Amino acid sequence: MELREKFGFGCMRFPMKGKEVDLEQVNQMVDEFIEAGFNYFDTAHGYLDGASETALRECLVQRYPRDAYYLTNKLTSTFFQTHEDLQPFFEKQLRQCGVDYFDYYLLHAMNLEYYKKFTECGAFEFVQELKQTGKIRHIGMSFHDQPEVLDQILNEHPEIEVVQIQFNYLDTDNPNVESDKVYEVCVKHQKPVIVMEPVRGGRLADLPEEAGKVLDSLNGGSYASYALRYAASFDQVFMVLSGMSSIEQVRDNLATMKNFKKMNEEEFKAVAKVREILKTLDQIECTACQYCVAGCPKQIPIPDIFAIYNTKKIYNDWTSTSNYKKCTENKGKASDCIKCGKCEHACPQHLKIRDLLQEAAKIFE
């Protein structure tokens, strides 16, 4: 089986029916994705509290032969404390997904702090053993830190074959991401790049009017299509993930990537102009990854609150207050935050979540 390059299915944002994954719609999404000739799927145990793995088992693994797809999973630091925890956790992931091996296995959400933990727990040696025994095919790493940290890790661990990074036209010079410099480190070490957050958690698919007009003038595809094509236009990138949550998003992305064309100079200038417009807006740089939610003792729906906050700021949407009440019903409100800091510790964007929740409380409560 040949890996179809450039476009992969990110399984963090499956459509939901209440608290359950909408398996019927996911079946349709998977089918159309594979029928279009694509075959790369990316999950992690923490996605949808484990439901991403089990949904893939039912919608992909049990419905297609194992050689019809590539499946990536991740070793996440929150699910182990010692070296002895690693094997049981990995075996649980295999069971959850219903497979005997993973094609790619990534050391997840790596930063300097987690690097120390992975090192102390022997995680690097563990994944090399998994590869030697055929339980994984390729060793990788997803990364959320400064370029100097990535350079250090790749110097010390040349066995890492691929690096997954946050890369989009908005974060090129974002001091919390520095995606351009991180990408250049991957080029330096000749590591193929997997792109996450190309549409910035949906932010680049739903542009404010002024920014949208810039792309409308090109008479091209959807706003999301420019974000995907931007990421895929870089030579070191071999896979761009899209965390799709509806069949409509699948179809739009397939229309873009099935007959992929690199962006031209005019299009690069246009997205640069959009970036400058977006940087003038007072928004919270949340990608809705949900990492902050799992450990919140007050069950505050932090990404949902931040999305409503951004809508209020950009559009002055009069429905924002009622939407806030709906999203916090039977959950924690922004003002319920006890400032424990667990959310900030988990946030890949390094947001000052406690302060931002306090600001949201002032606006909506």
Side-chain angles (χ1 to χ4, degrees):
M1 173 187 59
E2 183 179 350
L3 177 62
R4 178 72 182 266
E5 295 183 350
K6 288 298 185 185
F7 184 47
F9 200 139
C11 302
M12 179 192 286
R13 299 181 173 97
F14 280 150
M16 307 294 289
K17 279 186 176 179
K19 295 183 178 181
E20 303 295 326
V21 174
D22 184 348
L23 296 178
E24 183 178 353
Q25 187 171 179
V26 174
N27 279 339
Q28 187 179 6
M29 294 163 71
V30 167
D31 290 346
E32 294 202 18
F33 183 81
I34 289 181
E35 286 168 11
F38 296 96
N39 54 9
Y40 185 96
F41 295 82
D42 171 278
T43 189
H45 187 64
Y47 294 172
L48 303 175
D49 294 325
S52 173
E53 290 177 326
T54 55
L56 277 173
R57 183 184 67 217
E58 296 191 35
C59 300
L60 174 69
V61 174
Q62 294 179 355
R63 299 173 64 242
Y64 287 90
R66 184 63 182 90
D67 63 357
Y69 57 86
Y70 288 78
L71 182 57
T72 292
N73 212 323
K74 306 180 183 77
L75 178 59
T76 309
S77 67
T78 51
F79 296 109
F80 68 89
Q81 299 304 321
T82 68
H83 181 76
E84 288 68 33
D85 299 330
L86 297 176
Q87 187 67 37
F89 174 65
F90 179 77
E91 290 174 357
K92 181 178 181 180
Q93 289 180 291
L94 290 176
R95 290 195 303 272
Q96 289 271 106
C97 293
V99 295
D100 296 323
Y101 68 92
F102 294 117
D103 297 282
Y104 291 80
Y105 197 60
L106 310 185
L107 301 162
H108 192 195
M110 186 71 73
N111 57 25
L112 186 58
E113 180 184 350
Y114 289 162
Y115 181 45
K116 294 175 182 176
K117 180 176 180 179
F118 278 104
T119 301
E120 291 169 357
C121 292
F124 288 92
E125 293 78 9
F126 174 69
V127 295
Q128 289 183 76
E129 291 171 7
L130 291 178
K131 183 177 179 181
Q132 290 169 3
T133 57
K135 290 298 183 179
I136 64 175
R137 300 292 190 256
H138 301 283
I139 299 170
M141 172 178 65
S142 68
F143 184 77
H144 289 285
D145 209 322
Q146 303 303 304
E148 298 80 15
V149 177
L150 178 59
D151 192 43
Q152 175 190 347
I153 296 172
L154 293 180
N155 277 326
E156 295 176 2
H157 291 281
E159 72 273 13
I160 293 173
E161 299 169 73
V162 297
V163 182
Q164 185 165 308
I165 66 172
Q166 182 169 317
F167 189 76
N168 55 67
Y169 69 74
L170 184 59
D171 284 322
T172 57
D173 55 357
N174 180 340
N176 291 326
V177 182
E178 295 190 276
S179 62
D180 275 8
K181 291 182 180 179
V182 169
Y183 172 82
E184 288 302 324
V185 173
C186 295
V187 173
K188 171 187 171 183
H189 289 270
Q190 298 183 310
K191 303 297 183 183
V193 170
I194 303 169
V195 171
M196 56 182 160
E197 302 294 353
V199 194
R200 201 54 161 78
R203 186 178 176 190
L204 301 180
D206 185 20
L207 298 174
E209 184 177 1
E210 182 184 1
K213 285 181 178 178
V214 176
L215 298 185
D216 292 340
S217 68
L218 299 174
N219 298 314
S222 66
Y223 299 153
S225 73
Y226 288 101
L228 288 178
R229 288 179 57 226
Y230 174 87
S233 292
F234 288 77
D235 292 339
Q236 199 71 18
V237 171
F238 92 101
M239 188 63 60
V240 178
L241 301 177
S242 179
M244 298 172 283
S245 55
S246 70
I247 188 63
E248 291 76 20
Q249 290 177 5
V250 171
R251 289 168 180 166
D252 181 62
N253 289 347
L254 289 175
T256 301
M257 299 304 292
K258 192 171 182 180
N259 299 300
F260 168 71
K261 293 181 180 179
K262 286 187 176 183
M263 291 182 69
N264 58 38
E265 185 177 354
E266 181 186 13
E267 290 169 324
F268 273 114
K269 288 180 178 178
V271 297
K273 189 173 181 180
V274 170
R275 176 173 62 247
E276 294 310 309
I277 293 171
L278 293 177
K279 284 166 66 175
T280 67
L281 301 175
D282 183 17
Q283 295 186 72
I284 299 173
E285 301 287 339
C286 175
T287 64
C289 69
Q290 302 286 330
Y291 293 168
C292 58
V293 176
C296 178
K298 293 295 184 178
Q299 296 184 306
I300 301 172
I302 298 168
D304 296 337
I305 291 174
F306 288 172
I308 294 167
Y309 175 100
N310 284 341
T311 301
K312 176 78 172 178
K313 286 283 186 177
I314 298 170
Y315 303 107
N316 196 25
D317 186 355
W318 64 272
T319 65
S320 296
T321 301
S322 61
N323 288 337
Y324 173 80
K325 290 179 180 178
K326 288 178 184 177
C327 95
T328 56
E329 189 176 4
N330 301 320
K331 297 180 181 178
K333 300 191 298 293
S335 60
D336 292 331
C337 175
I338 59 173
K339 301 186 182 301
C340 66
K342 290 182 179 179
C343 54
E344 294 183 9
H345 184 73
C347 179
Q349 311 307 321
H350 312 293
L351 298 177
K352 296 181 178 179
I353 295 175
R354 289 172 286 187
D355 292 343
L356 292 168
L357 286 175
Q358 197 170 14
E359 187 174 344
K362 290 178 182 177
I363 294 173
F364 296 114
E365 297 179 32

